[in-house]
PDB file of all heavy atoms in Angstrom:
ATOM      1  N   ILE A1150     -74.774 359.247  74.036  1.00 96.00           N
ATOM      2  CA  ILE A1150     -75.604 360.074  74.924  1.00 96.00           C
ATOM      3  C   ILE A1150     -74.721 360.868  75.880  1.00 96.00           C
ATOM      4  O   ILE A1150     -74.952 362.060  76.117  1.00 96.00           O
ATOM      5  CB  ILE A1150     -76.592 359.193  75.715  1.00 96.00           C
ATOM      6  CG1 ILE A1150     -77.558 358.498  74.759  1.00 96.00           C
ATOM      7  CG2 ILE A1150     -77.376 360.015  76.719  1.00 96.00           C
ATOM      8  CD1 ILE A1150     -78.412 357.457  75.417  1.00 96.00           C
ATOM      9  N   ARG A1151     -73.700 360.217  76.418  1.00 96.00           N
ATOM     10  CA  ARG A1151     -72.791 360.916  77.334  1.00 96.00           C
ATOM     11  C   ARG A1151     -72.064 362.064  76.638  1.00 96.00           C
ATOM     12  O   ARG A1151     -71.826 363.116  77.230  1.00 96.00           O
ATOM     13  CB  ARG A1151     -71.766 359.937  77.898  1.00 96.00           C
ATOM     14  CG  ARG A1151     -72.360 359.017  78.926  1.00 96.00           C
ATOM     15  CD  ARG A1151     -71.292 358.467  79.855  1.00 96.00           C
ATOM     16  NE  ARG A1151     -71.882 357.514  80.778  1.00 96.00           N
ATOM     17  CZ  ARG A1151     -71.841 356.203  80.639  1.00 96.00           C
ATOM     18  NH1 ARG A1151     -71.224 355.674  79.594  1.00 96.00           N
ATOM     19  NH2 ARG A1151     -72.398 355.399  81.528  1.00 96.00           N
ATOM     20  N   ALA A1152     -71.717 361.855  75.378  1.00 96.00           N
ATOM     21  CA  ALA A1152     -71.027 362.910  74.631  1.00 96.00           C
ATOM     22  C   ALA A1152     -71.949 364.097  74.377  1.00 96.00           C
ATOM     23  O   ALA A1152     -71.511 365.246  74.424  1.00 96.00           O
ATOM     24  CB  ALA A1152     -70.512 362.356  73.314  1.00 96.00           C
ATOM     25  N   LEU A1153     -73.233 363.833  74.120  1.00 95.00           N
ATOM     26  CA  LEU A1153     -74.193 364.920  73.930  1.00 95.00           C
ATOM     27  C   LEU A1153     -74.343 365.723  75.226  1.00 95.00           C
ATOM     28  O   LEU A1153     -74.421 366.951  75.201  1.00 95.00           O
ATOM     29  CB  LEU A1153     -75.549 364.367  73.494  1.00 95.00           C
ATOM     30  CG  LEU A1153     -75.646 363.804  72.081  1.00 95.00           C
ATOM     31  CD1 LEU A1153     -76.975 363.124  71.866  1.00 95.00           C
ATOM     32  CD2 LEU A1153     -75.442 364.892  71.048  1.00 95.00           C
ATOM     33  N   GLN A1154     -74.374 365.017  76.370  1.00 95.00           N
ATOM     34  CA  GLN A1154     -74.506 365.702  77.644  1.00 95.00           C
ATOM     35  C   GLN A1154     -73.261 366.515  77.976  1.00 95.00           C
ATOM     36  O   GLN A1154     -73.354 367.650  78.439  1.00 95.00           O
ATOM     37  CB  GLN A1154     -74.761 364.696  78.773  1.00 95.00           C
ATOM     38  CG  GLN A1154     -76.164 364.140  78.777  1.00 95.00           C
ATOM     39  CD  GLN A1154     -76.340 363.056  79.822  1.00 95.00           C
ATOM     40  OE1 GLN A1154     -75.407 362.296  80.078  1.00 95.00           O
ATOM     41  NE2 GLN A1154     -77.524 362.977  80.394  1.00 95.00           N
ATOM     42  N   SER A1155     -72.086 365.953  77.713  1.00 95.00           N
ATOM     43  CA  SER A1155     -70.849 366.644  78.072  1.00 95.00           C
ATOM     44  C   SER A1155     -70.574 367.840  77.166  1.00 95.00           C
ATOM     45  O   SER A1155     -69.814 368.733  77.530  1.00 95.00           O
ATOM     46  CB  SER A1155     -69.669 365.681  78.021  1.00 95.00           C
ATOM     47  OG  SER A1155     -69.467 365.246  76.698  1.00 95.00           O
ATOM     48  N   SER A1156     -71.204 367.872  75.982  1.00 94.00           N
ATOM     49  CA  SER A1156     -70.997 369.013  75.096  1.00 94.00           C
ATOM     50  C   SER A1156     -71.880 370.198  75.467  1.00 94.00           C
ATOM     51  O   SER A1156     -71.837 371.224  74.793  1.00 94.00           O
ATOM     52  CB  SER A1156     -71.250 368.603  73.649  1.00 94.00           C
ATOM     53  OG  SER A1156     -72.594 368.218  73.499  1.00 94.00           O
ATOM     54  N   GLY A1157     -72.684 370.060  76.521  1.00 93.00           N
ATOM     55  CA  GLY A1157     -73.449 371.204  77.000  1.00 93.00           C
ATOM     56  C   GLY A1157     -74.932 371.135  76.719  1.00 93.00           C
ATOM     57  O   GLY A1157     -75.665 372.054  77.074  1.00 93.00           O
ATOM     58  N   LEU A1158     -75.407 370.083  76.089  1.00 94.00           N
ATOM     59  CA  LEU A1158     -76.840 369.939  75.827  1.00 94.00           C
ATOM     60  C   LEU A1158     -77.482 369.166  76.970  1.00 94.00           C
ATOM     61  O   LEU A1158     -76.905 368.208  77.481  1.00 94.00           O
ATOM     62  CB  LEU A1158     -77.067 369.202  74.502  1.00 94.00           C
ATOM     63  CG  LEU A1158     -76.576 369.922  73.252  1.00 94.00           C
ATOM     64  CD1 LEU A1158     -76.623 368.997  72.058  1.00 94.00           C
ATOM     65  CD2 LEU A1158     -77.411 371.146  72.983  1.00 94.00           C
ATOM     66  N   GLU A1159     -78.670 369.596  77.346  1.00 94.00           N
ATOM     67  CA  GLU A1159     -79.382 368.936  78.442  1.00 94.00           C
ATOM     68  C   GLU A1159     -80.297 367.866  77.864  1.00 94.00           C
ATOM     69  O   GLU A1159     -81.163 368.166  77.035  1.00 94.00           O
ATOM     70  CB  GLU A1159     -80.202 369.960  79.224  1.00 94.00           C
ATOM     71  CG  GLU A1159     -80.895 369.378  80.440  1.00 94.00           C
ATOM     72  CD  GLU A1159     -81.781 370.389  81.128  1.00 94.00           C
ATOM     73  OE1 GLU A1159     -81.698 371.580  80.790  1.00 94.00           O
ATOM     74  OE2 GLU A1159     -82.569 369.980  81.991  1.00 94.00           O
ATOM     75  N   VAL A1160     -80.095 366.624  78.282  1.00 95.00           N
ATOM     76  CA  VAL A1160     -80.910 365.511  77.803  1.00 95.00           C
ATOM     77  C   VAL A1160     -82.120 365.372  78.723  1.00 95.00           C
ATOM     78  O   VAL A1160     -81.993 365.068  79.898  1.00 95.00           O
ATOM     79  CB  VAL A1160     -80.093 364.200  77.758  1.00 95.00           C
ATOM     80  CG1 VAL A1160     -80.971 363.033  77.375  1.00 95.00           C
ATOM     81  CG2 VAL A1160     -78.943 364.339  76.780  1.00 95.00           C
ATOM     82  N   LYS A1161     -83.314 365.605  78.154  1.00 96.00           N
ATOM     83  CA  LYS A1161     -84.541 365.562  78.949  1.00 96.00           C
ATOM     84  C   LYS A1161     -85.095 364.143  79.056  1.00 96.00           C
ATOM     85  O   LYS A1161     -85.556 363.744  80.120  1.00 96.00           O
ATOM     86  CB  LYS A1161     -85.612 366.466  78.313  1.00 96.00           C
ATOM     87  CG  LYS A1161     -85.314 367.929  78.430  1.00 96.00           C
ATOM     88  CD  LYS A1161     -85.666 368.428  79.798  1.00 96.00           C
ATOM     89  CE  LYS A1161     -85.558 369.940  79.858  1.00 96.00           C
ATOM     90  NZ  LYS A1161     -85.793 370.464  81.180  1.00 96.00           N
ATOM     91  N   ALA A1162     -85.090 363.404  77.950  1.00 96.00           N
ATOM     92  CA  ALA A1162     -85.695 362.069  77.957  1.00 96.00           C
ATOM     93  C   ALA A1162     -84.924 361.165  77.022  1.00 96.00           C
ATOM     94  O   ALA A1162     -84.355 361.609  76.025  1.00 96.00           O
ATOM     95  CB  ALA A1162     -87.152 362.138  77.521  1.00 96.00           C
ATOM     96  N   ILE A1163     -84.902 359.871  77.352  1.00 97.00           N
ATOM     97  CA  ILE A1163     -84.255 358.857  76.513  1.00 97.00           C
ATOM     98  C   ILE A1163     -85.295 357.788  76.215  1.00 97.00           C
ATOM     99  O   ILE A1163     -85.859 357.191  77.129  1.00 97.00           O
ATOM    100  CB  ILE A1163     -83.032 358.237  77.217  1.00 97.00           C
ATOM    101  CG1 ILE A1163     -81.996 359.311  77.533  1.00 97.00           C
ATOM    102  CG2 ILE A1163     -82.411 357.161  76.348  1.00 97.00           C
ATOM    103  CD1 ILE A1163     -80.875 358.839  78.414  1.00 97.00           C
ATOM    104  N   ARG A1164     -85.546 357.545  74.927  1.00 96.00           N
ATOM    105  CA  ARG A1164     -86.495 356.515  74.518  1.00 96.00           C
ATOM    106  C   ARG A1164     -85.773 355.489  73.659  1.00 96.00           C
ATOM    107  O   ARG A1164     -85.032 355.840  72.746  1.00 96.00           O
ATOM    108  CB  ARG A1164     -87.648 357.107  73.699  1.00 96.00           C
ATOM    109  CG  ARG A1164     -88.593 357.952  74.515  1.00 96.00           C
ATOM    110  CD  ARG A1164     -89.714 358.490  73.665  1.00 96.00           C
ATOM    111  NE  ARG A1164     -90.563 357.408  73.188  1.00 96.00           N
ATOM    112  CZ  ARG A1164     -91.466 357.545  72.217  1.00 96.00           C
ATOM    113  NH1 ARG A1164     -91.621 358.700  71.619  1.00 96.00           N
ATOM    114  NH2 ARG A1164     -92.205 356.525  71.848  1.00 96.00           N
ATOM    115  N   ASP A1165     -86.016 354.215  73.957  1.00 96.00           N
ATOM    116  CA  ASP A1165     -85.423 353.138  73.168  1.00 96.00           C
ATOM    117  C   ASP A1165     -86.453 352.681  72.152  1.00 96.00           C
ATOM    118  O   ASP A1165     -87.488 352.133  72.516  1.00 96.00           O
ATOM    119  CB  ASP A1165     -85.000 351.981  74.078  1.00 96.00           C
ATOM    120  CG  ASP A1165     -84.121 350.983  73.353  1.00 96.00           C
ATOM    121  OD1 ASP A1165     -83.908 351.158  72.140  1.00 96.00           O
ATOM    122  OD2 ASP A1165     -83.647 350.046  74.002  1.00 96.00           O
TER     123      ASP A1165
END
Side-chain angles (χ1 to χ4, degrees):
I1150 297 171
R1151 286 203 184 99
L1153 289 172
Q1154 285 175 325
S1155 65
S1156 63
L1158 296 170
E1159 184 184 349
V1160 175
K1161 290 281 188 184
I1163 300 171
R1164 290 181 66 194
D1165 192 356

